[in-house]
Amino acid sequence: MEESAIPSVLIVQLCTSLLIAVKDHSVFLTFSNLTFQSAKAKMWSLQNLLFILCITLRCVTCEAGVIYVTGYVGREVNVSCSYDEGYESYEKYLCKNDCGDSDLLITTSNSVKNKYTIHDDKTARIFTTTISDLQSTDAGKYWCGVTRTGIDIYTEVELKLVPDSCCDTVTKVQSYEGYSESVSCPYESRYHNSLKYICRGNRPSTCLQQALITSDTKQNGRFRLDDDKVLGTFTVTINSLTQNDSGSYLCGVQGNSDVDVFSAVELEVEEWCCVKAKHINGIVGNLLLLQCPYPPQHRNNSKFLCKGDQRNKCTDISMDQRVTLQDDAASSSFTVRIRYSDVHDTGTYWCGSDPQWRVGNYTKIELSVVTVRCVTCDIGRTRS
Protein backbone atom coordinates (compact mmCIF):
# COMPACT_ATOMS: atom_id res chain seq x y z
CA MET A 1 0.00 0.00 0.00
CA GLU A 2 1.34 3.45 -0.88
CA GLU A 3 2.52 5.72 1.89
CA SER A 4 1.33 9.29 2.32
CA ALA A 5 1.63 12.25 4.61
CA ILE A 6 -0.73 12.72 7.56
CA PRO A 7 -2.69 15.93 8.17
CA SER A 8 -0.94 18.19 10.66
CA VAL A 9 -3.99 18.19 12.91
CA LEU A 10 -3.55 14.44 13.35
CA ILE A 11 0.09 14.91 14.32
CA VAL A 12 -1.02 17.45 16.94
CA GLN A 13 -3.56 14.94 18.25
CA LEU A 14 -0.91 12.22 18.40
CA CYS A 15 1.56 14.44 20.16
CA THR A 16 -1.10 15.46 22.65
CA SER A 17 -1.87 11.79 23.27
CA LEU A 18 1.80 11.00 23.79
CA LEU A 19 2.42 11.02 27.54
CA ILE A 20 5.93 10.77 28.82
CA ALA A 21 6.14 10.24 32.53
CA VAL A 22 9.44 10.22 34.25
CA LYS A 23 9.28 8.65 37.67
CA ASP A 24 11.87 6.73 39.72
CA HIS A 25 14.22 6.57 36.74
CA SER A 26 11.49 4.83 34.66
CA VAL A 27 9.83 6.05 31.45
CA PHE A 28 6.25 5.18 30.40
CA LEU A 29 5.19 5.94 26.80
CA THR A 30 1.44 5.73 26.19
CA PHE A 31 -0.08 5.81 22.68
CA SER A 32 -3.75 4.84 22.36
CA ASN A 33 -3.84 1.24 23.73
CA LEU A 34 -0.07 0.68 23.54
CA THR A 35 2.25 1.12 26.53
CA PHE A 36 5.99 0.97 26.32
CA GLN A 37 8.17 0.78 29.44
CA SER A 38 11.89 1.10 29.98
CA ALA A 39 13.75 0.16 33.07
CA LYS A 40 15.95 3.16 33.16
CA ALA A 41 15.29 6.71 31.97
CA LYS A 42 18.87 7.07 30.84
CA MET A 43 18.29 4.33 28.27
CA TRP A 44 15.92 6.66 26.37
CA SER A 45 17.06 9.59 24.36
CA LEU A 46 15.18 12.13 22.32
CA GLN A 47 16.11 10.17 19.20
CA ASN A 48 14.46 7.05 20.64
CA LEU A 49 11.23 8.89 21.29
CA LEU A 50 11.17 10.52 17.86
CA PHE A 51 11.81 7.14 16.26
CA ILE A 52 8.84 5.60 18.09
CA LEU A 53 6.66 8.54 17.10
CA CYS A 54 7.65 8.24 13.43
CA ILE A 55 7.00 4.50 13.43
CA THR A 56 3.58 5.11 14.98
CA LEU A 57 2.65 7.74 12.38
CA ARG A 58 3.94 5.51 9.61
CA CYS A 59 1.63 2.67 10.69
CA VAL A 60 -1.41 4.94 10.85
CA THR A 61 -0.71 6.08 7.28
CA CYS A 62 -0.29 2.55 6.00
CA GLU A 63 -3.64 1.50 7.39
CA ALA A 64 -5.47 4.36 5.67
CA GLY A 65 -4.15 4.06 2.12
CA VAL A 66 -5.00 6.60 -0.60
CA ILE A 67 -8.19 6.96 -2.66
CA TYR A 68 -7.60 8.37 -6.14
CA VAL A 69 -10.50 10.27 -7.73
CA THR A 70 -10.65 11.96 -11.14
CA GLY A 71 -13.19 14.63 -12.08
CA TYR A 72 -13.98 16.85 -15.05
CA VAL A 73 -13.55 20.62 -14.91
CA GLY A 74 -16.94 22.33 -14.71
CA ARG A 75 -18.76 19.16 -13.65
CA GLU A 76 -19.20 17.38 -10.30
CA VAL A 77 -17.41 14.48 -8.65
CA ASN A 78 -18.23 12.06 -5.84
CA VAL A 79 -15.69 11.23 -3.13
CA SER A 80 -16.71 8.05 -1.30
CA CYS A 81 -15.03 6.75 1.84
CA SER A 82 -15.82 3.63 3.84
CA TYR A 83 -15.59 3.17 7.60
CA ASP A 84 -15.64 0.26 10.04
CA GLU A 85 -18.64 -1.17 11.84
CA GLY A 86 -19.46 0.70 15.03
CA TYR A 87 -18.94 4.19 13.61
CA GLU A 88 -22.37 4.54 12.01
CA SER A 89 -23.54 7.26 14.42
CA TYR A 90 -20.26 9.20 14.43
CA GLU A 91 -19.87 12.49 12.58
CA LYS A 92 -18.08 12.33 9.22
CA TYR A 93 -16.47 15.15 7.30
CA LEU A 94 -14.25 16.13 4.38
CA CYS A 95 -11.33 18.48 4.72
CA LYS A 96 -8.47 19.65 2.54
CA ASN A 97 -4.74 20.25 2.78
CA ASP A 98 -3.61 19.96 6.43
CA CYS A 99 -7.16 19.55 7.70
CA GLY A 100 -7.03 22.49 10.07
CA ASP A 101 -10.15 24.38 11.14
CA SER A 102 -10.05 26.58 8.03
CA ASP A 103 -9.66 23.48 5.80
CA LEU A 104 -12.88 21.82 6.98
CA LEU A 105 -15.23 21.76 3.97
CA ILE A 106 -18.37 19.95 5.14
CA THR A 107 -19.69 17.67 7.90
CA THR A 108 -22.63 15.30 8.18
CA SER A 109 -24.11 17.58 10.83
CA ASN A 110 -24.37 20.28 8.16
CA SER A 111 -24.83 18.23 4.99
CA VAL A 112 -25.09 21.10 2.46
CA LYS A 113 -22.52 23.87 2.31
CA ASN A 114 -21.61 25.98 -0.71
CA LYS A 115 -20.56 23.60 -3.51
CA TYR A 116 -20.37 20.58 -1.18
CA THR A 117 -22.98 18.04 -0.12
CA ILE A 118 -22.42 14.93 2.01
CA HIS A 119 -24.46 11.78 2.55
CA ASP A 120 -23.80 8.95 4.98
CA ASP A 121 -25.05 5.51 3.93
CA LYS A 122 -24.98 3.81 7.31
CA THR A 123 -26.12 0.46 5.89
CA ALA A 124 -23.20 0.26 3.46
CA ARG A 125 -20.96 2.18 5.90
CA ILE A 126 -19.88 4.61 3.15
CA PHE A 127 -20.14 8.38 3.27
CA THR A 128 -20.01 10.31 0.01
CA THR A 129 -19.18 13.96 -0.59
CA THR A 130 -20.23 15.58 -3.86
CA ILE A 131 -18.18 18.53 -5.08
CA SER A 132 -19.95 20.59 -7.76
CA ASP A 133 -18.69 23.07 -10.38
CA LEU A 134 -15.15 21.73 -10.26
CA GLN A 135 -12.38 24.22 -10.97
CA SER A 136 -8.62 23.74 -11.35
CA THR A 137 -8.11 25.01 -7.81
CA ASP A 138 -10.14 22.06 -6.48
CA ALA A 139 -7.44 19.58 -7.46
CA GLY A 140 -5.21 18.26 -4.71
CA LYS A 141 -5.22 16.42 -1.42
CA TYR A 142 -8.33 15.83 0.70
CA TRP A 143 -9.07 13.86 3.85
CA CYS A 144 -12.16 11.86 4.73
CA GLY A 145 -12.54 12.03 8.47
CA VAL A 146 -14.55 10.26 11.15
CA THR A 147 -14.81 12.23 14.41
CA ARG A 148 -14.15 10.27 17.59
CA THR A 149 -12.70 10.79 21.05
CA GLY A 150 -8.95 11.15 20.88
CA ILE A 151 -7.62 10.72 17.36
CA ASP A 152 -9.97 10.99 14.39
CA ILE A 153 -9.90 8.36 11.65
CA TYR A 154 -8.51 9.69 8.37
CA THR A 155 -8.45 8.44 4.79
CA GLU A 156 -6.40 10.35 2.25
CA VAL A 157 -7.98 11.31 -1.08
CA GLU A 158 -6.12 12.62 -4.11
CA LEU A 159 -8.35 14.51 -6.56
CA LYS A 160 -7.19 14.94 -10.14
CA LEU A 161 -9.02 17.17 -12.65
CA VAL A 162 -9.07 16.81 -16.42
CA PRO A 163 -10.74 18.94 -19.14
CA ASP A 164 -14.26 17.94 -20.13
CA SER A 165 -13.34 17.69 -23.81
CA CYS A 166 -11.75 15.27 -26.23
CA CYS A 167 -9.55 14.72 -28.23
CA ASP A 168 -6.32 15.91 -29.85
CA THR A 169 -6.81 13.52 -32.78
CA VAL A 170 -10.13 13.17 -34.62
CA THR A 171 -10.98 10.46 -37.16
CA LYS A 172 -13.03 11.83 -40.04
CA VAL A 173 -15.65 9.64 -41.74
CA GLN A 174 -17.65 10.65 -44.81
CA SER A 175 -20.78 8.97 -46.13
CA TYR A 176 -24.08 9.65 -47.88
CA GLU A 177 -27.64 9.77 -46.67
CA GLY A 178 -29.44 6.45 -46.90
CA TYR A 179 -26.18 4.50 -46.62
CA SER A 180 -24.85 2.39 -43.76
CA GLU A 181 -21.52 3.42 -42.27
CA SER A 182 -19.20 1.73 -39.77
CA VAL A 183 -17.04 3.57 -37.24
CA SER A 184 -14.02 1.69 -35.85
CA CYS A 185 -12.84 2.39 -32.30
CA PRO A 186 -9.53 0.81 -31.19
CA TYR A 187 -8.67 0.10 -27.55
CA GLU A 188 -5.82 -1.39 -25.49
CA SER A 189 -5.74 -5.07 -24.55
CA ARG A 190 -6.32 -4.36 -20.85
CA TYR A 191 -9.83 -3.17 -21.74
CA HIS A 192 -10.95 -6.42 -23.39
CA ASN A 193 -13.72 -7.01 -20.87
CA SER A 194 -14.62 -3.37 -20.28
CA LEU A 195 -17.89 -1.77 -21.35
CA LYS A 196 -17.74 -0.08 -24.76
CA TYR A 197 -20.10 2.61 -26.01
CA ILE A 198 -20.55 5.56 -28.36
CA CYS A 199 -22.26 8.92 -27.88
CA ARG A 200 -22.79 12.16 -29.75
CA GLY A 201 -20.87 15.31 -28.90
CA ASN A 202 -17.45 15.71 -27.30
CA ARG A 203 -18.15 15.83 -23.55
CA PRO A 204 -16.62 12.79 -21.83
CA SER A 205 -18.38 13.52 -18.52
CA THR A 206 -21.88 12.78 -19.89
CA CYS A 207 -21.01 10.36 -22.69
CA LEU A 208 -21.99 7.10 -20.98
CA GLN A 209 -25.31 8.51 -19.72
CA GLN A 210 -26.14 9.66 -23.26
CA ALA A 211 -24.77 6.61 -25.07
CA LEU A 212 -26.48 5.69 -28.33
CA ILE A 213 -25.53 2.05 -27.81
CA THR A 214 -23.30 -0.01 -25.48
CA SER A 215 -21.63 -3.41 -25.71
CA ASP A 216 -24.25 -4.66 -23.26
CA THR A 217 -27.11 -3.98 -25.70
CA LYS A 218 -25.29 -4.51 -29.06
CA GLN A 219 -28.34 -3.43 -31.09
CA ASN A 220 -30.41 -0.29 -30.66
CA GLY A 221 -32.56 0.80 -33.60
CA ARG A 222 -30.27 1.94 -36.41
CA PHE A 223 -27.15 1.35 -34.30
CA ARG A 224 -25.21 -1.89 -33.87
CA LEU A 225 -22.02 -2.50 -31.85
CA ASP A 226 -19.61 -5.39 -32.53
CA ASP A 227 -16.57 -5.98 -30.32
CA ASP A 228 -13.56 -7.77 -31.82
CA LYS A 229 -11.43 -8.56 -28.77
CA VAL A 230 -8.74 -10.23 -30.90
CA LEU A 231 -8.09 -7.07 -32.91
CA GLY A 232 -8.83 -4.82 -29.93
CA THR A 233 -11.42 -2.81 -31.86
CA PHE A 234 -15.13 -2.28 -31.49
CA THR A 235 -17.19 -1.20 -34.47
CA VAL A 236 -20.41 0.81 -34.46
CA THR A 237 -22.57 0.57 -37.59
CA ILE A 238 -25.20 3.22 -38.30
CA ASN A 239 -27.87 2.26 -40.82
CA SER A 240 -30.07 4.49 -43.00
CA LEU A 241 -27.94 7.58 -42.50
CA THR A 242 -29.50 11.03 -42.68
CA GLN A 243 -27.82 14.41 -42.77
CA ASN A 244 -28.91 14.86 -39.14
CA ASP A 245 -26.41 12.13 -38.22
CA SER A 246 -23.56 14.47 -39.16
CA GLY A 247 -21.49 15.70 -36.24
CA SER A 248 -19.08 14.74 -33.48
CA TYR A 249 -19.05 11.35 -31.75
CA LEU A 250 -17.02 9.83 -28.92
CA CYS A 251 -16.06 6.17 -28.71
CA GLY A 252 -15.83 5.31 -25.01
CA VAL A 253 -14.24 2.47 -23.05
CA GLN A 254 -15.06 2.25 -19.36
CA GLY A 255 -11.91 2.63 -17.27
CA ASN A 256 -10.99 0.02 -14.69
CA SER A 257 -10.33 2.57 -11.95
CA ASP A 258 -9.66 5.95 -13.53
CA VAL A 259 -11.72 7.99 -16.03
CA ASP A 260 -13.02 6.33 -19.19
CA VAL A 261 -10.89 6.28 -22.32
CA PHE A 262 -12.15 8.09 -25.42
CA SER A 263 -11.43 8.52 -29.11
CA ALA A 264 -13.14 11.12 -31.30
CA VAL A 265 -14.90 10.71 -34.65
CA GLU A 266 -16.32 13.37 -36.93
CA LEU A 267 -19.04 12.02 -39.24
CA GLU A 268 -20.13 13.94 -42.32
CA VAL A 269 -23.24 12.71 -44.11
CA GLU A 270 -23.71 14.35 -47.46
CA GLU A 271 -26.81 14.55 -49.55
CA TRP A 272 -27.00 11.61 -51.90
CA CYS A 273 -25.39 12.99 -55.02
CA CYS A 274 -25.61 12.84 -58.74
CA VAL A 275 -29.39 12.91 -59.10
CA LYS A 276 -31.07 14.77 -61.95
CA ALA A 277 -34.66 15.78 -61.37
CA LYS A 278 -37.29 15.89 -64.08
CA HIS A 279 -40.92 16.93 -64.12
CA ILE A 280 -43.11 15.23 -66.72
CA ASN A 281 -46.80 15.84 -67.37
CA GLY A 282 -48.97 13.30 -69.15
CA ILE A 283 -52.57 12.80 -70.22
CA VAL A 284 -54.60 9.73 -69.39
CA GLY A 285 -54.49 7.20 -72.21
CA ASN A 286 -51.43 8.68 -73.91
CA LEU A 287 -47.95 7.16 -74.28
CA LEU A 288 -45.35 8.31 -71.74
CA LEU A 289 -41.58 8.26 -72.35
CA LEU A 290 -39.21 8.36 -69.38
CA GLN A 291 -35.57 8.80 -70.41
CA CYS A 292 -32.79 7.84 -67.99
CA PRO A 293 -29.08 8.51 -68.69
CA TYR A 294 -26.34 6.47 -67.00
CA PRO A 295 -22.51 6.44 -66.81
CA PRO A 296 -20.79 4.71 -69.76
CA GLN A 297 -19.12 2.26 -67.34
CA HIS A 298 -22.59 0.99 -66.38
CA ARG A 299 -23.26 -0.18 -69.90
CA ASN A 300 -23.54 -3.80 -68.86
CA ASN A 301 -25.35 -3.14 -65.58
CA SER A 302 -28.99 -4.03 -65.13
CA LYS A 303 -31.25 -1.01 -65.47
CA PHE A 304 -34.30 -0.33 -63.29
CA LEU A 305 -37.27 1.92 -62.67
CA CYS A 306 -38.95 2.14 -59.27
CA LYS A 307 -41.66 4.23 -57.68
CA GLY A 308 -41.61 5.89 -54.24
CA ASP A 309 -41.19 9.23 -52.50
CA GLN A 310 -37.77 8.18 -51.17
CA ARG A 311 -35.22 6.11 -53.07
CA ASN A 312 -34.74 3.79 -50.12
CA LYS A 313 -38.50 3.20 -50.03
CA CYS A 314 -38.89 2.59 -53.74
CA THR A 315 -40.89 -0.28 -55.30
CA ASP A 316 -39.56 -1.78 -58.51
CA ILE A 317 -41.79 -1.43 -61.57
CA SER A 318 -42.24 -4.74 -63.36
CA MET A 319 -41.81 -4.69 -67.10
CA ASP A 320 -44.79 -6.04 -69.06
CA GLN A 321 -46.78 -5.26 -72.20
CA ARG A 322 -47.81 -1.86 -70.83
CA VAL A 323 -44.42 -0.87 -69.39
CA THR A 324 -41.26 -1.64 -71.38
CA LEU A 325 -37.59 -0.66 -71.07
CA GLN A 326 -35.31 -0.09 -74.04
CA ASP A 327 -31.57 0.38 -73.55
CA ASP A 328 -29.50 2.49 -75.95
CA ALA A 329 -25.86 1.82 -75.05
CA ALA A 330 -24.62 4.17 -77.77
CA SER A 331 -26.20 7.17 -75.99
CA SER A 332 -25.64 5.76 -72.46
CA SER A 333 -29.32 5.99 -71.65
CA PHE A 334 -32.43 3.86 -71.51
CA THR A 335 -36.05 4.73 -72.12
CA VAL A 336 -39.10 3.46 -70.24
CA ARG A 337 -42.31 3.47 -72.28
CA ILE A 338 -45.64 3.51 -70.44
CA ARG A 339 -48.64 2.83 -72.68
CA TYR A 340 -52.22 3.70 -71.80
CA SER A 341 -51.19 5.96 -68.96
CA ASP A 342 -53.55 6.38 -66.02
CA VAL A 343 -53.97 8.84 -63.15
CA HIS A 344 -52.64 6.11 -60.85
CA ASP A 345 -49.29 6.42 -62.64
CA THR A 346 -48.84 9.85 -61.01
CA GLY A 347 -45.99 9.89 -58.47
CA THR A 348 -42.23 9.95 -57.92
CA TYR A 349 -40.04 7.59 -59.94
CA TRP A 350 -36.35 6.73 -59.77
CA CYS A 351 -34.33 5.19 -62.58
CA GLY A 352 -30.71 4.15 -62.66
CA SER A 353 -28.12 1.55 -63.50
CA ASP A 354 -26.87 0.39 -60.08
CA PRO A 355 -29.31 -1.70 -58.00
CA GLN A 356 -27.00 -1.27 -54.97
CA TRP A 357 -27.64 2.47 -55.08
CA ARG A 358 -23.99 3.42 -54.86
CA VAL A 359 -23.25 7.02 -55.60
CA GLY A 360 -23.57 7.57 -59.32
CA ASN A 361 -25.94 8.91 -61.95
CA TYR A 362 -29.63 8.52 -61.22
CA THR A 363 -32.75 10.30 -62.39
CA LYS A 364 -35.63 11.36 -60.19
CA ILE A 365 -38.86 11.87 -62.15
CA GLU A 366 -41.92 13.64 -60.86
CA LEU A 367 -44.75 12.37 -63.06
CA SER A 368 -48.23 13.91 -63.19
CA VAL A 369 -50.96 12.24 -65.27
CA VAL A 370 -54.24 14.14 -65.64
CA THR A 371 -57.54 13.71 -67.41
CA VAL A 372 -58.26 16.26 -70.15
CA ARG A 373 -61.87 17.30 -70.43
CA CYS A 374 -63.31 16.98 -73.96
CA VAL A 375 -64.80 20.42 -74.64
CA THR A 376 -66.09 19.39 -78.11
CA CYS A 377 -67.85 16.39 -76.59
CA ASP A 378 -69.55 18.61 -74.02
CA ILE A 379 -70.78 20.98 -76.76
CA GLY A 380 -72.23 18.05 -78.72
CA ARG A 381 -74.03 16.74 -75.64
CA THR A 382 -75.51 20.20 -75.01
CA ARG A 383 -76.91 20.51 -78.54
CA SER A 384 -78.47 17.07 -78.43
PDB file of all heavy atoms in Angstrom, residues 36-47:
ATOM      1  N   PHE A  36       4.606   1.398  26.400  1.00  0.00           N
ATOM      2  CA  PHE A  36       5.992   0.970  26.321  1.00  0.00           C
ATOM      3  C   PHE A  36       6.676   1.356  27.634  1.00  0.00           C
ATOM      4  O   PHE A  36       6.454   2.464  28.156  1.00  0.00           O
ATOM      5  CB  PHE A  36       6.703   1.671  25.150  1.00  0.00           C
ATOM      6  CG  PHE A  36       6.053   1.407  23.819  1.00  0.00           C
ATOM      7  CD1 PHE A  36       5.048   2.244  23.350  1.00  0.00           C
ATOM      8  CD2 PHE A  36       6.423   0.311  23.047  1.00  0.00           C
ATOM      9  CE1 PHE A  36       4.443   2.011  22.150  1.00  0.00           C
ATOM     10  CE2 PHE A  36       5.811   0.086  21.829  1.00  0.00           C
ATOM     11  CZ  PHE A  36       4.825   0.937  21.373  1.00  0.00           C
ATOM     12  N   GLN A  37       7.513   0.499  28.162  1.00  0.00           N
ATOM     13  CA  GLN A  37       8.172   0.784  29.435  1.00  0.00           C
ATOM     14  C   GLN A  37       9.650   0.459  29.324  1.00  0.00           C
ATOM     15  O   GLN A  37      10.036  -0.521  28.700  1.00  0.00           O
ATOM     16  CB  GLN A  37       7.557  -0.042  30.568  1.00  0.00           C
ATOM     17  CG  GLN A  37       8.211   0.232  31.906  1.00  0.00           C
ATOM     18  CD  GLN A  37       7.538  -0.541  33.036  1.00  0.00           C
ATOM     19  OE1 GLN A  37       6.566  -1.224  32.814  1.00  0.00           O
ATOM     20  NE2 GLN A  37       8.095  -0.439  34.221  1.00  0.00           N
ATOM     21  N   SER A  38      10.454   1.343  29.923  1.00  0.00           N
ATOM     22  CA  SER A  38      11.895   1.097  29.977  1.00  0.00           C
ATOM     23  C   SER A  38      12.333   1.066  31.438  1.00  0.00           C
ATOM     24  O   SER A  38      11.767   1.755  32.267  1.00  0.00           O
ATOM     25  CB  SER A  38      12.645   2.204  29.230  1.00  0.00           C
ATOM     26  OG  SER A  38      14.035   2.091  29.444  1.00  0.00           O
ATOM     27  N   ALA A  39      13.308   0.296  31.684  1.00  0.00           N
ATOM     28  CA  ALA A  39      13.754   0.158  33.072  1.00  0.00           C
ATOM     29  C   ALA A  39      14.453   1.408  33.567  1.00  0.00           C
ATOM     30  O   ALA A  39      14.312   1.788  34.713  1.00  0.00           O
ATOM     31  CB  ALA A  39      14.673  -1.047  33.212  1.00  0.00           C
ATOM     32  N   LYS A  40      15.178   2.003  32.734  1.00  0.00           N
ATOM     33  CA  LYS A  40      15.952   3.162  33.160  1.00  0.00           C
ATOM     34  C   LYS A  40      15.700   4.327  32.222  1.00  0.00           C
ATOM     35  O   LYS A  40      15.702   4.164  31.001  1.00  0.00           O
ATOM     36  CB  LYS A  40      17.459   2.857  33.195  1.00  0.00           C
ATOM     37  CG  LYS A  40      17.814   1.690  34.104  1.00  0.00           C
ATOM     38  CD  LYS A  40      17.593   2.031  35.577  1.00  0.00           C
ATOM     39  CE  LYS A  40      18.027   0.885  36.484  1.00  0.00           C
ATOM     40  NZ  LYS A  40      17.827   1.211  37.906  1.00  0.00           N
ATOM     41  N   ALA A  41      15.543   5.533  32.795  1.00  0.00           N
ATOM     42  CA  ALA A  41      15.292   6.714  31.969  1.00  0.00           C
ATOM     43  C   ALA A  41      16.492   7.035  31.099  1.00  0.00           C
ATOM     44  O   ALA A  41      16.361   7.544  29.998  1.00  0.00           O
ATOM     45  CB  ALA A  41      14.971   7.906  32.856  1.00  0.00           C
ATOM     46  N   LYS A  42      17.681   6.722  31.598  1.00  0.00           N
ATOM     47  CA  LYS A  42      18.874   7.075  30.838  1.00  0.00           C
ATOM     48  C   LYS A  42      19.002   6.253  29.565  1.00  0.00           C
ATOM     49  O   LYS A  42      19.797   6.577  28.695  1.00  0.00           O
ATOM     50  CB  LYS A  42      20.120   6.883  31.715  1.00  0.00           C
ATOM     51  CG  LYS A  42      20.326   5.436  32.158  1.00  0.00           C
ATOM     52  CD  LYS A  42      21.549   5.334  33.061  1.00  0.00           C
ATOM     53  CE  LYS A  42      21.774   3.888  33.516  1.00  0.00           C
ATOM     54  NZ  LYS A  42      22.968   3.796  34.385  1.00  0.00           N
ATOM     55  N   MET A  43      18.241   5.165  29.463  1.00  0.00           N
ATOM     56  CA  MET A  43      18.292   4.335  28.265  1.00  0.00           C
ATOM     57  C   MET A  43      17.523   4.986  27.106  1.00  0.00           C
ATOM     58  O   MET A  43      17.600   4.533  25.974  1.00  0.00           O
ATOM     59  CB  MET A  43      17.711   2.939  28.541  1.00  0.00           C
ATOM     60  CG  MET A  43      18.504   2.134  29.560  1.00  0.00           C
ATOM     61  SD  MET A  43      17.720   0.568  29.938  1.00  0.00           S
ATOM     62  CE  MET A  43      17.749  -0.219  28.323  1.00  0.00           C
ATOM     63  N   TRP A  44      16.747   6.001  27.403  1.00  0.00           N
ATOM     64  CA  TRP A  44      15.924   6.658  26.365  1.00  0.00           C
ATOM     65  C   TRP A  44      16.528   8.017  26.039  1.00  0.00           C
ATOM     66  O   TRP A  44      16.924   8.749  26.908  1.00  0.00           O
ATOM     67  CB  TRP A  44      14.485   6.859  26.860  1.00  0.00           C
ATOM     68  CG  TRP A  44      13.789   5.557  27.059  1.00  0.00           C
ATOM     69  CD1 TRP A  44      13.740   4.820  28.188  1.00  0.00           C
ATOM     70  CD2 TRP A  44      13.053   4.844  26.080  1.00  0.00           C
ATOM     71  NE1 TRP A  44      13.026   3.691  27.995  1.00  0.00           N
ATOM     72  CE2 TRP A  44      12.576   3.661  26.702  1.00  0.00           C
ATOM     73  CE3 TRP A  44      12.724   5.075  24.734  1.00  0.00           C
ATOM     74  CZ2 TRP A  44      11.817   2.727  26.030  1.00  0.00           C
ATOM     75  CZ3 TRP A  44      11.963   4.142  24.073  1.00  0.00           C
ATOM     76  CH2 TRP A  44      11.514   2.985  24.713  1.00  0.00           C
ATOM     77  N   SER A  45      16.592   8.285  24.834  1.00  0.00           N
ATOM     78  CA  SER A  45      17.060   9.591  24.365  1.00  0.00           C
ATOM     79  C   SER A  45      15.959  10.220  23.522  1.00  0.00           C
ATOM     80  O   SER A  45      14.968   9.586  23.187  1.00  0.00           O
ATOM     81  CB  SER A  45      18.331   9.447  23.524  1.00  0.00           C
ATOM     82  OG  SER A  45      18.030   8.738  22.324  1.00  0.00           O
ATOM     83  N   LEU A  46      16.158  11.458  23.179  1.00  0.00           N
ATOM     84  CA  LEU A  46      15.184  12.132  22.321  1.00  0.00           C
ATOM     85  C   LEU A  46      15.046  11.428  20.986  1.00  0.00           C
ATOM     86  O   LEU A  46      13.959  11.325  20.426  1.00  0.00           O
ATOM     87  CB  LEU A  46      15.608  13.594  22.120  1.00  0.00           C
ATOM     88  CG  LEU A  46      14.675  14.447  21.231  1.00  0.00           C
ATOM     89  CD1 LEU A  46      13.275  14.497  21.837  1.00  0.00           C
ATOM     90  CD2 LEU A  46      15.252  15.845  21.065  1.00  0.00           C
ATOM     91  N   GLN A  47      16.168  10.885  20.482  1.00  0.00           N
ATOM     92  CA  GLN A  47      16.113  10.174  19.205  1.00  0.00           C
ATOM     93  C   GLN A  47      15.237   8.932  19.300  1.00  0.00           C
ATOM     94  O   GLN A  47      14.501   8.606  18.372  1.00  0.00           O
ATOM     95  CB  GLN A  47      17.529   9.779  18.772  1.00  0.00           C
ATOM     96  CG  GLN A  47      18.375  10.974  18.355  1.00  0.00           C
ATOM     97  CD  GLN A  47      19.759  10.556  17.917  1.00  0.00           C
ATOM     98  OE1 GLN A  47      20.230   9.469  18.272  1.00  0.00           O
ATOM     99  NE2 GLN A  47      20.419  11.419  17.149  1.00  0.00           N
TER     100      GLN A  47
END
